[in-house]
Amino acid sequence: DAVESAPAIVIGSGYGGAVAALRLGQAGIRTVVLEMGRLWNTAGSDGKVFCSTSAPDQRSMWFRTRTEAPLATFLWLDVVNKDIGPYPGVLDRVHYDNMSVYVGRGVGGGSLVNGGMAVTPVKSYFTEQFPTVDADEMYGTHYPRARAMLGVNTIDPAWFESTEWYRFTRTSRKAAGNAGLKTTFVPNVYDFGYMQQEAAGTATKSALAGEVIYGNNQGKRSLDKTYWAAALGTGNVTIHTLEKVRSLSRAGDGSYVLTVDRIDTTGAVVETKQYSCTYLFLGGGSVGTTELLVRARDTGTLPDLNSAVGAGWGTNGNTMLGRANHVWDTVGANEATMPVMGIDDWANADNPVFAEIAPLPMGFEHWISLYLAITKNPERASFTYDSASGAVKLGWTAAQSAVSVSMAKKLFDRINLANATIYRYDLFGSGSKVFADDFTYHPLGGCVLGKATDDYGRVKGYDRLYVTDGSLVPGNIGVNPFVTITALAERTMARVLVEDTAP
Ligand code: FDA
């Protein structure tokens, strides 16, 4: 079969892949990007690129016959999920034992489906997690560069205080304040100027129309609008969509060889292709990249990968929960989908938690305060290759999730006590589950910086092989992770383009 070769290949088009491709393209290096999802730029028969959250169709999820939304129920009723046709939809939920991982699929990866919260961690915690990285350089150069490229902006505080669309956040802030807890505004990549026009009725509604986990049709500065637009603008970057990298190996001349399945919109493999390249950048995300490398090591196609490949994986301590407010503490029928505030108790050494005040836009008053708690859960798990099934498995246990739950519970018990309120028991399935402990939005680790790679993401055991995505982060970063992933990738590319690709 014909082998398509390129000087550089980037696997995956999320944050890590986007930074790699832009900086390679700017350096004049011809780069091919392989992305298993589709390009989200053409409208369906309803005139929209993405479907709505309230009436999801095939565009919502990656080859499913029924949606798998994080909040499965309301009043214990199975009213949230809907039957859909299988299709390369934008949101995937990857199931492992005891833990499932939500990821975005398409050009832009997680940026297509996430809440846009663009948070820089406190420097002291960054240093704790990345002791070998020069934090001054990160906070002086790479974080600012990442935020500028991502289009990070902040909500106008005066508008925030007055708009009906953030009543839910003000109500949660008040409840936290009653418990003596600090809240803080968080930046976002959603264009708040556009959102104000939505509220004024002068622009098509997106964040104010419930759009988020199945994609935003307006307002969101997802990576296709930022890094990918710039990368394609260099003229050196080509993106191949609906192409899933199946395996990696190395040829005798030192080039990397990739076996890739091209699928159609039914999921059928229509072609199996071979690619080869001199420089290979892995941006498949924490689970995508780690699965590829674990499989390559344990099937012997890249046997010199070290034992740290697959290890050090965590959920960023994610736990979701809801509280029931008193009837007089309304959240409003209208909720914007972009979170703008967090309860910041990270400095509490006994129980560090940063909890995002999350939206639950249902179009009616439900008195629910929803949160995504990020806890400092120290538990980590490893991926292993199971030769019998050929699958890569994750060794995360329910007891490891229980650590996140108990930390979240400590914080929210304080809030409930101070407000004489209770948890909601009806949101996460037919039981009386209060804490969603079986999924994460923030998969981190698997190829940890300085362990599976050197301090710049160069994979140990091989040259010209790099990881640039969330698998570098050691399981936890204390806040929502994409700004950190982007900034670390910027740091890697700045170094690699000077040291490794010089003629
Ligand atoms: P990312 O997952 O973005 O990209 C990987 C890409 O590689 C995907 O497009 C995938 O399809 C592709 N791929 C994987 N394997 C492949 C293969 N073998 N072949 C070809 N392609 C392959 N974070 C944050 O900071 N603020 C927030 O508000 C939120 N909110 C949020 C909500 C929801 C619903 C989710 C699911 C996630 C978030 N996140 C978030 C998390 C954030 O989106 C996440 O951390 C980043 O997208 C991770 O970036 P990466 O570059 O690591 O991979």
Side-chain angles (χ1 to χ4, degrees), residues 180-251:
L181 288 157
K182 187 177 90 181
T183 49
T184 176
F185 278 110
V186 287
N188 200 293
V189 296
Y190 196 90
D191 181 344
F192 286 113
Y194 186 86
M195 190 188 283
Q196 289 201 35
Q197 291 176 39
E198 292 177 51
T202 55
T204 308
K205 284 188 173 63
S206 178
L208 304 192
E211 292 180 354
V212 58
I213 59 169
Y214 302 139
N216 278 91
N217 285 299
Q218 323 281 340
K220 173 95 138 336
R221 292 170 180 140
S222 47
L223 289 167
D224 48 330
K225 314 272 188 327
T226 59
Y227 272 96
W228 287 115
L232 295 174
T234 67
N236 293 317
V237 176
T238 317
I239 309 177
H240 295 196
T241 55
L242 298 175
E243 296 204 4
K244 181 175 183 180
V245 180
R246 200 206 303 163
S247 63
L248 311 174
S249 63
R250 207 172 199 202

Side-chain angles (χ1 to χ4, degrees), residues 98-99 318-320 396 398 401-402 404-405 433 435-439:
N98 306 307
M99 181 50 60
N318 275 192
T319 305
M320 192 175 265
W396 186 264
S401 290
S404 303
V405 168
K433 206 175 171 72
F435 298 94
D437 56 356
D438 55 353
F439 69 80

Side-chain angles (χ1 to χ4, degrees), residues 11-17 34-37 91-92 102-111 113-119 188 213 223 243-246 283-289 292 339 356 372 440-444 468-471 479-483 485:
I11 301 174
S13 65
Y15 295 89
L34 304 174
E35 166 57 52
M36 64 196 272
L91 182 68
D92 198 359
Y102 279 103
V103 291
R105 299 271 181 234
V107 176
S111 77
V113 299
N114 68 31
M117 281 175 73
V119 200
N188 200 293
I213 59 169
L223 289 167
E243 296 204 4
K244 181 175 183 180
V245 180
R246 200 206 303 163
S286 171
V287 301
T289 290
L292 278 173
E356 158 192 336
L372 180 68
T440 180
Y441 285 171
H442 301 163
L444 295 172
T468 61
D469 58 25
S471 31
V479 292
N480 314 61
F482 74 62
V483 179
I485 294 168

Side-chain angles (χ1 to χ4, degrees), residues 260-281:
V260 175
D261 288 333
R262 187 165 67 81
I263 60 168
D264 65 15
T265 56
T266 72
V269 176
V270 288
E271 186 185 0
T272 296
K273 300 168 89 171
Q274 302 276 318
Y275 286 90
S276 96
C277 61
T278 308
Y279 299 95
L280 179 57
F281 292 84

